Amino acid sequence: MSVNVVLVRPWTDAHGGTGCCSGDAPDGICLEGRVDGPREHDAEVGLVAETYLRLRAELPDVDVQIVGVNNTAYLLPTVFRAVRRRRGTMAALRELNRATTAGSVLVDGERVGDVTELGPARVVEEVRGRARPLAG
Amino acid sequence: MPAIAVAAVVGVLFFLGYRYYSVYLADRIYGLDPAFVTPAHQFSDGVDFVPTNKHVVFGHHFTSVAGAAPIVGPAIAVFWGWGPALAWIVLGTIFAAGVHDFGSLAVSLRHRAKNIGTIAHDVISKRARTLFLLIIFFLLTLVNAVFAVVIATLFVANPGAVIPIVVEIPIAIFIGQYIYRTRTAALVPSLIGVLALYLLIWVGQQVPIDLAPVAEVFGIEARTLWVILLFAYTFVASRLPVWLLLQPRDYINSHQLFIALGVIGLGMLVGWNTIVAPVVNDVPAGSPSIFPFLFITIACGAISGFHSLVSSGTTAKQVDKETDARYIGYMGAVGEGSLATGAVLAATAGVVATRADWDALYPDFATASGGAVGNFVNGVGVFANNLGVPLDLAVIFAAVVVISFAATTMDTGVRLQRYIVQEIAEIAGWHKLARNLTLAGVVAVAVPLAMALIPGGGDAGYTFGVLWRLFGTTNQLTAGLALTVIAVWILRMKRNPIPAVVPLVFLLTMTTWALFSQFWDFVQAETWSERWVLAPLDAIIFVLAIWLIVEAVMALRGGAGRRTYDEMGSPVGDDTRTPTS
């Protein structure tokens, strides 16, 4: 089975800061955990986490990644390459944009829905359905 | 010599460093094991601890470590000639930054993804944690001060850049809200944001904003007024949720980073600009000597302690296989070294066409420091001009790129400084300060603001040059602390600590030498600001450096062997998760 799943981080799960000496370093600085971000209290972050853990548990052979919208260096080339192989350049460009929707579920580069709308169980079923023909 | 040829040689050297030295470090020094269960697997929670593809982690790690800081130091340091500046960048990246960034990640992976401050507490001493916080406090104070001066200076020199930068803030908030509320794709709106920004460059050129008349009413310089306004803005911005302003603006800026890198590379290739600066500059008498000052002027770009905070914070929680640490950590250092190389070339090949023109820009150290960022901006402007962009617009474009990154640095820097203030206050028992975000924010802003406003700056930027060197020393001390942790861990694994000890000794020697030398200059100076502000500040950082040396020697002599390790290199009897989880 060679299905690749990418869960795009919710918009509120922000890792702000770019560059030396101001990058994403709260975890590297705070010793007592006083990071005032929204992550621990954000329902959507929890939903992505649950989806991720269920995918890993129920479909251990599937490659699952959680990627931030702003991780351009990975997200854009990966989606573009994956979709262009199957559907051509124009479709790949369209999919490139759709892939940067926060909370997206991407299967082999294509956006199949939103974690919040689908929910963990349906995401697992969706991925299982796409993986089955490949496995067979 | 053509700049592009120098860039190619540096690229080959970086490749060799990654291909051979990082493999040696991975196999023989850090002993990376593909079967080791990383914290991402051990504590997998789908939020912080997520086993992630190495290219994903690298994408995040690289954007967290590469920004404006590796531009400024190299643009100043070419004062000693492009040869020494480039040599330190190349050797520092391969033999110091690579060891440090990669090592911080490797050690953190073996300590359940704890950060360097916490690991220092475990493997060096309890005091090391306080030392860590104090060093980071001064590091962030100086970062925020110097970048406020950088932005203010660029605003004064390029009044056309004011409108694009200021209007970018509401644009970013609007785009962020639009993406968040409508749950739409982020790419096209952010690209529209970039286009709007570049359209505003034209508007800015037509309507330059000069604050000099307003500043005159208050009896201050325009640059001073800009510094005050910038800190007022960052105080507010650092209290906003990250996703509201910082994330959308970072996203727009990340497109700018790729555009700027493309412009520098292509512009150099198309224009075939040659380096007109001397390989080794015959600097005027009385200038700071190349030893030790080159090695603290270029911190970010050769070795930056800040990277250990990123490596051992977020990055370590996402590494899938331990062997991925080589690619993520070492290549992060190489990426920053590449940016620094671009800065050297922009300030020596792009900015002017003749040696005489270059000499006029770098006649003495004070002018070189004050004009460094402007020289880089003008150099990138020339590279963009090679691609057909009108020169005056190209220069504003370059200024907008640098200011955008510097502004992001300040936003995040003040926010991180607030965390540090809270941490220190908690340890000191000042609970009111630790838990009051506004009060902690005021402290986080007031200290660097005072530093940035130290008189003596003027057009020559003297104070900026000094503050930049003090910033370099604190960044090198942070690296020194991380290298000490790495060296102690390697020793306890009964492996060869030399690859970590050599850069550690070199950095601490250069840092203490520079601090000591500067201290006497400040004490003997005529201005009150040097004698009563910079001299005590230098002395405090010097004390921290000596403290670090004592801790390092004690730890390396085995005096801190409280912790025992299993055969996998993880501490025995520590099943706790990282404190920030």
Side-chain angles (χ1 to χ4, degrees), chain A residues 11 17 32 39 44 65 71, chain B residues 48 53 129 183 247 250:
Chain A
W11 188 249
E32 308 297 340
R39 336 190 61 224
E44 207 174 339
Q65 306 292 330
N71 195 337
Chain B
D48 291 305
N53 178 295
R129 169 178 143 152
R183 301 187 71 82
Q247 174 155 273
D250 276 359

Side-chain angles (χ1 to χ4, degrees), chain A:
Chain A
M1 187 179 322
S2 63
V3 171
N4 295 299
V5 178
V6 171
L7 303 176
V8 182
R9 287 186 188 277
W11 188 249
T12 47
D13 189 9
H15 289 254
T18 40
C20 191
C21 294
S22 66
D24 189 11
D27 286 359
I29 283 178
C30 296
L31 307 177
E32 308 297 340
R34 265 183 303 282
V35 180
D36 58 355
R39 336 190 61 224
E40 301 87 350
H41 316 292
D42 191 293
E44 207 174 339
V45 173
L47 206 57
V48 169
E50 189 190 337
T51 306
Y52 172 82
L53 294 174
R54 284 187 66 164
L55 281 167
R56 295 289 294 230
E58 296 181 30
L59 303 168
D61 293 335
V62 169
D63 176 45
V64 191
Q65 306 292 330
I66 299 182
V67 180
V69 171
N70 54 358
N71 195 337
T72 305
Y74 173 80
L75 198 55
L76 300 192
T78 307
V79 168
F80 186 76
R81 274 199 302 268
V83 179
R84 191 178 62 167
R85 257 199 311 268
R86 294 191 309 274
R87 292 172 48 203
T89 303
M90 287 313 291
L93 287 173
R94 272 196 301 276
E95 215 51 50
L96 207 63
N97 183 45
R98 279 157 51 84
T100 60
T101 309
S104 289
V105 181
L106 313 179
V107 180
D108 287 336
E110 287 184 58
R111 186 175 189 273
V112 298
D114 188 291
V115 174
T116 316
E117 289 164 8
L118 294 174
R122 278 186 59 196
V123 171
V124 171
E125 285 316 305
E126 183 74 34
V127 174
R128 198 194 305 274
R130 285 173 183 254
R132 200 173 290 130
L134 293 171

Side-chain angles (χ1 to χ4, degrees), chain B residues 462-506:
Chain B
Y462 172 72
T463 308
F464 168 73
V466 172
L467 288 177
W468 182 263
R469 295 208 303 262
L470 287 171
F471 153 69
T473 59
T474 55
N475 206 355
Q476 305 293 39
L477 287 180
T478 311
L481 185 66
L483 283 168
T484 305
V485 169
I486 294 165
V488 170
W489 178 72
I490 294 171
L491 262 180
R492 291 192 185 155
M493 292 300 98
K494 298 185 170 45
R495 298 191 195 114
N496 178 11
I498 295 297
V501 171
V502 169
L504 170 65
V505 171
F506 182 77

